[in-house]
Amino acid sequence: MSGPSLPLSPARRRLVTAGIMTGMFLAALEATVIATAMPTVIAALGGMSRYSWVFSAYLVASTVTVPVWGKLSDLYGRRLFYQIGIAIFLVGSILSGLSHSINALIVYRTIQGAGAGALIPLGMTIIGEIFTVEQRARMQGLFSGVWGVASIIGPLLGGFITDQISWRWVFFVNVPFGIAAALIIGLALEEPARHGRPAIDYAGAVALTGSVTMLLLALVGGGGTVASLFGTRNVALMIGAAIVFALFLRIERRAAEPIVPLDLFRDRVVSVAILIGFLTGVAMFGAITYVPLFAQGAQGTSATAAGSLLTPLMLAWVTMSVVGGRLLLRIGYRPMVLAGLTLMTAAFAIFWTFDRETPRSWMITDLALLGAGLGLTMLTLLLAVQQSVPRIRLGIATSLNQFSRSIGGAVGVAVMGAVLSIGLHLHLGQAAAAGGGGAISARQATRLADDPSALIDPAERALLSPTALEMLQSSLARSLRPVFLVGACVSLLALLIAIFRMPARIPGFEHSFAEGERMVIAEMATLDPKSEPLSD
C-alpha cells in the first residue's frame, strides 16, 4: 500500500485528524477517569461484590467488537461505522450516568464498550487512508500524546467532577467530545460511493464474538488465584471458547466475505506483527497492573504515589513514538522493532531484581525504559501491518493489531495473577509455619494469599501487627519477582520471533522522507489538481 487512497485537501486532512484525535481522547479518557469515580459510584448504588464487572463488562465488549468494526468498515466505509460506534458509545455513556442500580450500570457499560471498540481501530484506519506511511510515521507523536495527556488529566478530572458536581457527570462529560468527533468526521471526511451489496459473515461474527467473550469471561473472572482460574466454571468457559473458535475457523474457510480472512495470516509481516503484538500486550498489561501493586503493597507507598509511577512510562512512550517516527523510514522497520523489544526485555529483567529497598528513582528509570520500548514497538508494528495489506483489508488488519494486544493483556494479567497467587501461598505458608511473635496463622496466610487487600487498604493494614505487616510485604515482594520473570521471558520470546521470523523489509518503507513526500505531491496533483501538499 503506497500513497493515500483518499486524496483530501490539506484543510480537510487537518479537520479529519482533529476529529480522530478527539475520538481517541474520548477512549483514552474513559480508561482513566472512571476508576477515580468508582468508589463513589459504589457508595451510591451498592453492589460491592460486582465492582469489578463495571470494568470487565466494558473490557469484554470493547475487545470482542474490534474485528467486527474493522471488517464492516472495509465493506461499507469508515465514516459511517466510525459515527455509529461513537453513537453507541454515547448512548451507553448517557445510560450509565442515569443508572440507579449496579446491575443496570454493568449492562450500560457493556453498551458503551461495544461502541468503544470502533474508536481506536477505525480512527487509525482512517489515518492510514488519508496519509502516506511517511506522514503517519511523523504524526505518531500527536496520537501518542493524546494518551499521555489523558493519563495525566483523567484521574484529576474524574476526582474534580465527582467531588464538585456528581459522579453521573463522569459519564455525561463524554457527550460533547463524542458529538464533536462525529460531526467533524461527518463533515470533513469524503469517501467514494460504494456500490453493490456485500455479503456479511453473520455466522463468523457471532462465532468469533462468542468464543472471545467466553475466553475473556474466564480470564477476567478468574479472581487472580490458581484455584479460581482453573475452577469448574472457568475450565468450562475455556473449553467452550475452544470449541466455538474451531467452529469459527470452519465458518471462515467457507464464507464468501469472512469476518477475519484467514489468508491474511499468510503474509509473514501481518502474522508476525500480530503474534508480537499479543506477546507485547501480555508484558505491557502485566507491568501496568503489578508494578503499582509492588510499590503500594510491598513498599508501603500511597495509592497516589504508586499510580504516579506510570507517568514516566507514558511520557517515555510518547517521546519515543515521536523519535521513532522520525527514525523509522531512515533505518527500516525491523531495527526499530528489535530495539523496542530489547528495551522491553531489559526493563523486565530489571523489574525482576526489585526488592523492598529499591529506590523510587530506579523504579521510575526502569518504567521509562519500558515506555521507550513500547513507544518504538507499537508504532512500528501498526505501520508495518498497514503497509503490508491492500486497502480493501486495511480496516480488519488495523483492528487485528489492536485486538491481539488486548487479548494478550487479558491473558497476561490472568497468568501473572496465578503466578502471584502461587508465590503468595508458598511464602506466606512458610512464614506461618515458622511462627514467631506477631506472626500470622496458617488460616490468615491462606486468606491473605487469596486476597492481599490488607496490603493496599490502609484500614486493613492498620489492623496487622508490625511483624505480620512486614512478613506480608516481604512475601509479596518475593512473590512478584516470578511475575516479572514471566514478563521478561515473554518479552524475550517476542524479541526472538522478531529476530528469526520478521522479514527484513516491506515495500514502501525504503523511501526517505523527501522521496515519500514527492510521491505524495505527484499522486495528489494527479488525483486532485486543487489539493495542496501537506506542510510540515
Side-chain angles (χ1 to χ4, degrees):
M1 193 185 81
S2 62
S5 59
L6 297 177
L8 304 178
S9 68
R12 283 186 178 273
R13 285 205 301 266
R14 285 191 288 268
L15 277 175
V16 171
T17 302
I20 297 302
M21 290 181 66
T22 304
M24 286 187 174
F25 182 74
L26 184 65
L29 198 64
E30 183 66 21
T32 56
V33 72
I34 300 300
T36 307
M38 276 311 298
T40 304
V41 174
I42 292 298
L45 300 181
M48 183 63 189
S49 62
R50 293 182 292 281
Y51 177 94
S52 63
W53 279 104
V54 175
F55 300 97
S56 298
Y58 182 91
L59 170 66
V60 171
S62 61
T63 300
V64 301
T65 55
V66 165
V68 178
W69 286 117
K71 182 61 178 182
L72 288 174
S73 77
D74 283 341
L75 294 175
Y76 292 100
R78 321 298 180 195
R79 181 176 61 187
L80 172 62
F81 281 93
Y82 189 78
Q83 290 178 307
I84 291 175
I86 290 178
I88 294 174
F89 180 87
L90 293 184
V91 168
S93 296
I94 294 170
L95 291 174
S96 295
L98 297 174
S99 299
H100 286 86
S101 71
I102 191 66
N103 290 334
L105 179 59
I106 291 171
V107 172
Y108 300 148
R109 285 279 288 171
T110 303
I111 296 173
Q112 194 183 25
L119 297 181
I120 304 300
L122 295 196
M124 296 312 298
T125 301
I126 292 170
I127 291 298
E129 287 201 315
I130 66 174
F131 292 106
T132 66
V133 64
E134 291 86 358
Q135 293 164 339
R136 275 177 275 147
R138 288 184 299 181
M139 293 169 59
Q140 284 304 312
L142 294 175
F143 304 117
S144 299
V146 169
W147 289 91
V149 170
S151 68
I152 295 172
I153 72 169
L156 300 176
L157 181 62
F160 175 81
I161 292 175
T162 303
D163 293 338
Q164 303 300 322
I165 308 175
S166 167
W167 65 264
R168 298 182 185 276
W169 279 93
V170 169
F171 297 100
F172 295 153
V173 76
N174 294 326
V175 175
F177 290 105
I179 291 176
L183 285 176
I184 292 171
I185 295 299
L187 294 172
L189 181 60
E190 293 180 335
E191 292 184 301
R194 297 184 183 236
H195 303 287
R197 188 178 181 85
I200 299 179
D201 180 19
Y202 293 106
V206 171
L208 177 62
T209 301
S211 175
V212 176
T213 298
M214 284 189 284
L215 175 63
L216 290 177
L217 288 176
L219 295 174
V220 303
T225 67
V226 177
S228 57
L229 182 61
F230 295 101
T232 303
R233 168 189 171 274
N234 277 16
V235 170
L237 284 170
M238 291 180 187
I239 293 174
I243 293 172
V244 177
F245 185 72
L247 176 62
F248 164 74
L249 293 178
R250 183 175 182 180
I251 293 171
E252 296 306 272
R253 292 190 184 100
R254 300 180 177 182
E257 279 286 353
I259 200 77
V260 178
L262 298 182
D263 62 325
L264 194 65
F265 296 96
R266 295 174 187 165
D267 185 313
R268 204 165 78 181
V269 173
V270 174
S271 58
V272 170
I274 289 176
L275 179 56
I276 292 176
F278 172 83
L279 296 173
T280 301
V282 172
M284 176 181 71
F285 283 95
I288 291 173
T289 301
Y290 292 108
V291 170
L293 176 63
F294 178 88
Q296 191 176 355
Q299 296 187 321
T301 63
S302 66
T304 301
S308 67
L309 282 172
L310 298 181
T311 300
L313 184 152
M314 293 303 303
L315 292 177
W317 189 332
V318 172
T319 301
M320 291 311 295
S321 291
V322 176
V323 174
R326 293 288 175 177
L327 291 175
L328 176 59
L329 299 170
R330 299 183 186 277
I331 66 174
Y333 88 107
R334 192 170 183 272
M336 294 288 290
V337 174
L338 295 179
L341 292 175
T342 299
L343 291 177
M344 285 180 56
T345 305
F348 269 98
I350 296 172
F351 288 154
W352 183 52
T353 68
F354 282 4
D355 57 35
R356 293 180 60 202
E357 308 304 321
T358 299
R360 183 176 176 85
S361 59
W362 185 232
M363 295 174 67
I364 289 174
T365 301
D366 196 24
L367 283 163
L369 186 68
L370 176 62
L374 289 169
L376 293 176
T377 305
M378 297 298 191
L379 158 69
T380 310
L381 290 177
L382 172 62
L383 295 180
V385 167
Q386 289 186 334
Q387 192 68 14
S388 300
V389 299
R391 302 187 202 284
I392 196 172
R393 290 184 169 181
L394 188 60
I396 185 61
T398 303
S399 297
L400 287 175
N401 182 69
Q402 180 184 336
F403 178 73
S404 64
R405 192 164 63 245
S406 298
I407 294 294
V411 171
V413 171
V415 170
M416 290 181 183
V419 172
L420 174 61
S421 176
I422 292 172
L424 281 174
H425 277 281
L426 174 64
H427 293 298
L428 287 175
Q430 292 173 345
I440 58 177
S441 66
R443 186 173 182 178
Q444 282 179 304
T446 301
R447 181 180 66 82
L448 291 170
D450 288 336
D451 180 20
S453 58
L455 288 174
I456 58 177
D457 186 333
E460 288 196 42
R461 191 161 51 192
L463 298 176
L464 296 172
S465 68
T467 303
L469 178 60
E470 182 177 358
M471 184 183 302
L472 194 54
Q473 289 178 325
S474 298
S475 296
L476 180 63
R478 290 197 297 271
S479 300
L480 280 170
R481 293 186 70 185
V483 171
F484 296 138
L485 181 59
V486 170
C489 292
V490 168
S491 299
L492 179 60
L493 176 59
L495 176 60
L496 292 175
I497 291 172
I499 291 173
F500 294 108
R501 295 297 301 163
M502 182 164 278
R505 58 176 54 188
I506 304 172
F509 272 74
E510 290 73 33
H511 301 290
S512 67
F513 281 105
E515 290 171 336
E517 196 70 13
R518 284 196 294 270
M519 289 172 59
V520 176
I521 294 172
E523 183 173 350
M524 294 283 286
T526 302
L527 297 174
D528 184 0
K530 297 180 181 179
S531 64
E532 302 169 11
L534 181 69
S535 63
D536 288 325

